Amino acid sequence: MIRIAIANQKGGVGKTTTAINMATAMAASGWKCLLIDLDPQGNASTGLGVKQADRVHSSYDLLFGEAGIEESAIATIIPELDIIPATVDLSGAEVELVEFEDRTHRLKTAFDDAADKWDIVLIDCPPSLGLLTINALVAVDSIIVPLQCEFFALEGLSQLLQTVERIQKRFNPDLSIRGVVLTMYDRRNRLTDQVEEDVRSCLSGLVFDTVIPRNVRLSEAPSHGLPALVYDHRCSGSEAYMALARELIGRLPAKEELAA
């Protein structure tokens, strides 16, 4: 079971949009996928049409051992895609986690106790580098970093890379960066080209070839409780996420290897 965190401590970079649509695209490609909503805002849950009344168990319960992964996961409208939703309880989790000695490993423990029911797990992290994100980075094999094409995003990326390095040294030596995906890409903006050039020169092969364009349909889809790939599969944003999923699959072990 491959585990990937989608993380960036800067808000508004398209992280949740990437999580929702990447999970949908992977499921559409035949991968059994689980999305864990670890953001107290619960936008990934809402964006997949999960109503509050259906969130019987949540990622909060998972962190505090009140429910296991299989018990917490619920089916979505997308075949082969399940989700562990977030609830408002998660907003106080970081304060509560401080009391636990294993506060950085709570999510990893939940994974260790779970069966390999899914081919891939994606975790939508909150826009911070607090204990929720650290739990995700300790529990996963790798991370995908959505990076908005603007100057300040580069500064945030540097901080995230330093955090990844500290996690590798202290808690998870196997953690790697699966890739950086450029989001909100606008070729009409000269700054976009400059940011892309800087990121690719610094990180080389880590940056996905696929870029996610600015696209109004990507913004509209969550209000309908649908991934953009379902809301409008022909829009440029949906086509980009399908291309990104194909590129990601090319960087992953084959499903047959996972089952072996």
Side-chain angles (χ1 to χ4, degrees):
M1 184 165 60
I2 298 170
R3 310 170 197 168
I4 301 175
I6 299 177
N8 190 327
Q9 79 277 13
K10 189 176 185 302
V13 300
K15 178 179 54 59
T16 298
T17 299
T18 297
I20 292 172
N21 288 290
M22 281 296 293
T24 301
M26 293 298 290
S29 301
W31 290 63
K32 292 182 180 179
C33 187
L34 173 66
L35 176 60
I36 299 179
D37 190 350
L38 208 60
D39 187 342
Q41 297 176 85
N43 290 337
S45 307
T46 304
L48 279 170
V50 181
K51 298 177 181 178
Q52 290 290 340
D54 296 330
R55 304 179 194 186
V56 179
H57 295 296
S58 67
S59 51
Y60 176 91
D61 300 317
L62 193 62
L63 284 169
F64 289 91
E66 297 175 12
I69 286 183
E70 293 182 70
E71 185 182 0
S72 302
I74 57 177
T76 69
I77 60 171
I78 311 299
E80 304 290 357
L81 173 57
D82 298 330
I83 185 172
I84 297 179
T87 61
V88 68
D89 295 335
L90 201 59
S91 60
E94 296 207 351
V95 175
E96 297 175 57
L97 282 170
V98 173
E99 300 177 5
F100 292 85
E101 288 187 12
D102 63 341
R103 53 187 170 271
T104 58
H105 287 65
R106 304 290 295 183
L107 189 57
K108 182 180 185 302
T109 299
F111 273 120
D112 291 342
D113 294 338
D116 284 354
K117 182 179 178 181
W118 299 274
D119 299 317
I120 187 167
V121 178
L122 299 178
I123 304 176
D124 183 28
C125 298
S128 70
L129 293 176
L131 276 173
L132 292 177
T133 298
I134 290 173
N135 260 271
L137 298 183
V138 171
V140 300
D141 315 304
S142 59
I143 69 172
I144 289 176
V145 184
L147 186 68
Q148 186 179 0
C149 292
E150 64 171 33
F151 174 76
F152 289 118
L154 293 173
E155 189 175 82
L157 177 62
S158 175
Q159 186 179 355
L160 179 62
L161 295 178
Q162 291 174 11
T163 299
V164 169
E165 187 175 348
R166 288 195 291 268
I167 296 292
Q168 288 171 327
K169 289 180 178 178
R170 294 189 60 187
F171 304 122
N172 186 1
D174 297 325
L175 180 65
S176 64
I177 298 176
R178 187 71 63 177
V180 174
V181 55
L182 297 174
T183 61
M184 303 180 188
Y185 195 90
D186 186 353
R187 292 193 181 278
R188 298 170 299 178
N189 189 333
R190 292 181 60 186
L191 179 60
T192 293
D193 293 331
Q194 183 181 341
V195 170
E196 179 182 20
E197 183 179 339
D198 290 346
V199 173
R200 292 193 187 279
S201 65
C202 291
L203 300 177
S204 186
L206 281 179
V207 186
F208 287 103
D209 293 333
T210 304
V211 298
I212 309 301
R214 284 192 178 274
N215 180 238
V216 67
R217 306 298 269 177
L218 289 178
S219 302
E220 290 174 354
S223 65
H224 296 271
L226 294 170
L229 274 75
V230 175
Y231 181 63
D232 184 354
H233 70 278
R234 293 183 178 178
C235 72
S236 61
S238 294
E239 291 177 349
Y241 275 117
M242 283 302 300
L244 181 62
R246 289 192 293 269
E247 194 174 347
L248 174 60
I249 290 170
R251 300 188 182 193
L252 298 175
K255 287 196 297 177
E256 292 75 17
E257 295 178 35
L258 297 176

